[in-house]
Amino acid sequence: HASLFSGRHPWETGVLNNGQAVPEDLPLLAEHLREEGYQTAAAVSLATMWPESRGRGIDRGFDDYERGVNEIATGAETGERLRAVLDRLDPEEPFFLLAHFSDPHEPYNDQGASGRVAEVHLDGTLVDVVSTSQMSFWETELELSPGKHRLVVSSSTSFKIRDLDFTEQGLAYPYHFATSGLMESTHEAEVVVVNGSDGPRHLQVSAWINDEPSTREIHARYASEVQVADAAVGRLAAELMRRGMWENTVVVLTSDHGEALGEHGLVGHVDNLYDELLHVPLVIRLPHGRIDARLKKADDSLVRHIDVVPTVCELLGLPGLPNPSGRSLLEDGEETLIAETHPPEAPRSLYCLRDQTYKLVYAPAEETFEMYRLGPDPLELDNVYAHQGHLRDTWQMVLTRLADQAGPSMATVDAETSRKLSALGY
């Protein structure tokens, strides 16, 4: 998102992983548009978009920045916050709205199809039955007498406790896992809580528990979550139309990453730079539904996230952000795409260059290259580096130099942020 909203590559922004600080001197689109007289508002649905402190992250430049309570929100929940944000906008003044949806995303909701549940017992007594296949953030209050207590979560199907908190009057209360632990696959997890006082304690408990679907189930759930996102975007478009804010608005729809659903042995994202993770939609709808032939030409070209901000600024007739690496899609030209991924979210640093014909991937730790000829091998299964690497020999120098300049990458975040990212699958 730092690259998307600045028009600069990750190595230029310095933001290589979720949870890192966004440099205060990095120009961002919302800040730029606010200076040009735009109202700026957002509703975000994922903890990766939560700034450590207001105005110090990707939220810089937003007058109104609505975030959820839980680490991830459904399209319907985000839609509710978007309507509240729209209520605070003046429809007669120009505005920039970031509508951030997380569907589809791990842990892949089944939309109530399978109805898997877990039972929660406190000291042998059933407390509640919690959905595991439909994302739910379970909350309750427990009255604990003096002494040791055992909270047991069990299910006939495997699950993970993604996050768990005990609090008393808003302050964290200690507990420990006797069996299993956060983000560990299990059929039963036991948590021990001790009341060391002479009287009862009233603790608030919140937990995020999800089942572990098979790859086949993930395919179906991912498709259903795409439909959820589609419906959420449709409702937002209808709301803008109802308020008279649609016809004269530039609408841009894209995604921050793709998702592997078993390709190359991976379910998820971050781990590699194959096209299933890099190739995402980009839809630009111009005011009054008009067509721009220059944009139409971009349909058949390689387009990058860093090209979005320069394009938006030109469409709005505004000066661009300073020193972008991206270019407006209204200009002629063909670019080479550069992508990268880094620890601790990825198992290793990787860099790649890609054009319409080839992709070259460099792993600096092993000092090895992979190369794919994308036309006849769109699934990137045949590494042709050994006999075709010389056709992109300058790319090899670019990638090794880039990796050498960056050095070892191991971005650090605080423990609480790390826990939230882990719960989201990072």
Side-chain angles (χ1 to χ4, degrees):
H1 286 88
S3 288
L4 175 64
F5 290 124
S6 68
R8 300 186 186 185
H9 292 288
W11 77 81
E12 297 171 303
T13 69
V15 182
L16 304 180
N17 275 276
N18 289 307
Q20 284 187 259
V22 176
E24 294 183 16
D25 60 352
L26 179 68
L28 296 174
L29 179 61
E31 198 170 38
H32 181 60
L33 292 179
R34 185 170 66 181
E35 291 171 355
E36 293 291 336
Y38 280 68
Q39 305 169 88
T40 55
V44 300
S45 59
L46 203 64
T48 57
M49 299 288 285
W50 296 356
E52 188 174 326
S53 55
R54 184 72 174 91
R56 301 295 296 275
I58 205 71
D59 67 322
R60 178 158 41 86
F62 284 99
D63 300 314
D64 193 353
Y65 195 84
E66 279 274 346
R67 46 164 276 187
V69 175
N70 299 310
E71 286 89 343
I72 188 170
T74 65
E77 292 166 340
T78 304
E80 288 294 326
R81 292 203 306 279
L82 280 166
R83 280 188 286 276
V85 166
L86 287 171
D87 286 341
R88 297 191 286 270
L89 289 178
D90 183 346
E92 302 301 319
E93 297 295 326
F95 69 93
F96 170 48
L97 174 67
L98 168 61
H100 179 269
F101 297 103
S102 289
D103 327 81
H105 201 284
E106 186 180 347
Y108 314 112
N109 283 329
D110 78 343
Q111 313 305 324
S114 63
R116 292 175 183 163
V117 297
E119 292 185 346
V120 183
H121 290 82
L122 177 64
D123 299 327
T125 300
L126 181 65
V127 173
D128 208 344
V129 177
V130 184
S131 168
T132 61
S133 55
Q134 174 69 13
M135 186 175 67
S136 59
F137 292 87
W138 177 67
E139 294 183 341
T140 192
E141 180 179 297
L142 298 178
E143 180 178 327
L144 302 183
S145 59
K148 182 185 292 186
H149 299 271
R150 289 178 170 83
L151 191 74
V152 176
V153 182
S154 60
S155 177
S156 60
T157 55
S158 62
F159 65 89
K160 292 179 181 178
I161 298 180
R162 293 179 168 269
D163 204 4
L164 178 64
D165 285 300
F166 287 80
T167 58
E168 183 180 39
Q169 296 180 349
L171 300 177
Y173 194 88
Y175 69 88
H176 72 270
F177 280 92
T179 62
S180 188
L182 290 178
M183 293 301 294
E184 292 185 11
S185 177
T186 186
H187 284 260
E188 182 174 291
E190 181 179 329
V191 176
V192 175
V193 187
V194 178
N195 176 2
S197 68
D198 295 330
R201 287 188 179 276
H202 293 85
L203 303 185
Q204 302 296 321
V205 185
S206 61
W208 181 10
I209 306 168
N210 275 96
D211 68 344
E212 292 190 289
S214 66
T215 301
R216 182 176 179 179
E217 289 174 316
I218 288 173
H219 273 254
R221 293 185 185 190
Y222 194 86
S224 69
E225 287 204 309
V226 169
Q227 292 178 324
V228 168
D230 180 76
V233 172
R235 286 192 296 269
L236 174 59
E239 188 68 23
L240 291 170
M241 293 175 192
R242 186 183 70 81
R243 295 169 184 257
M245 302 168 74
W246 174 261
E247 283 302 321
N248 201 35
T249 295
V250 176
V251 180
V252 180
L253 185 149
T254 191
S255 176
D256 57 340
H257 58 75
E259 192 86 343
L261 299 174
E263 300 92 337
H264 298 97
L266 174 69
V267 173
H269 49 275
V270 175
D271 284 24
N272 59 48
L273 297 176
Y274 295 113
D275 266 12
E276 54 263 25
L277 273 62
L278 299 187
H279 191 184
V280 298
L282 175 63
V283 179
I284 300 178
R285 183 262 183 196
L286 300 182
H288 306 289
R290 66 181 175 86
I291 303 295
D292 190 304
R294 295 170 297 173
L295 271 183
K296 193 68 178 171
K297 286 172 62 177
D299 282 353
D300 299 319
S301 65
L302 198 64
V303 176
R304 307 165 300 174
H305 271 139
I306 58 173
D307 298 329
V308 172
V309 162
T311 303
V312 167
C313 289
E314 184 167 357
L315 287 172
L316 297 178
L318 299 175
L321 270 64
N323 304 316
S325 296
R327 66 171 181 88
S328 170
L329 299 177
L330 301 176
E331 303 170 4
D332 288 330
E334 183 71 27
E335 299 293 344
T336 301
L337 178 146
I338 304 179
E340 57 188 289
T341 191
H342 299 283
E345 293 178 7
R348 57 180 178 159
S349 286
L350 295 172
Y351 298 85
C352 87
L353 278 161
R354 184 202 193 283
D355 61 16
Q356 296 281 36
T357 307
Y358 284 105
K359 177 187 285 184
L360 183 69
V361 181
Y362 177 54
E366 296 85 7
E367 297 184 349
T368 57
F369 289 94
E370 296 176 24
M371 189 174 187
Y372 301 95
R373 191 177 178 193
L374 300 169
D377 183 27
L379 299 181
E380 299 167 277
L381 300 176
D382 182 18
N383 181 3
V384 299
Y385 176 73
H387 55 279
Q388 296 186 38
H390 65 282
L391 298 176
R392 294 291 186 273
D393 54 355
T394 57
W395 284 12
Q396 299 172 41
M397 293 185 289
V398 170
L399 292 179
T400 54
R401 185 168 64 247
L402 184 60
D404 289 343
Q405 291 173 347
S409 174
M410 183 60 77
T412 57
V413 296
D414 62 81
E416 181 61 21
T417 299
S418 178
R419 190 178 81 159
K420 290 185 181 300
L421 293 174
S422 176
L424 290 165
Y426 291 100

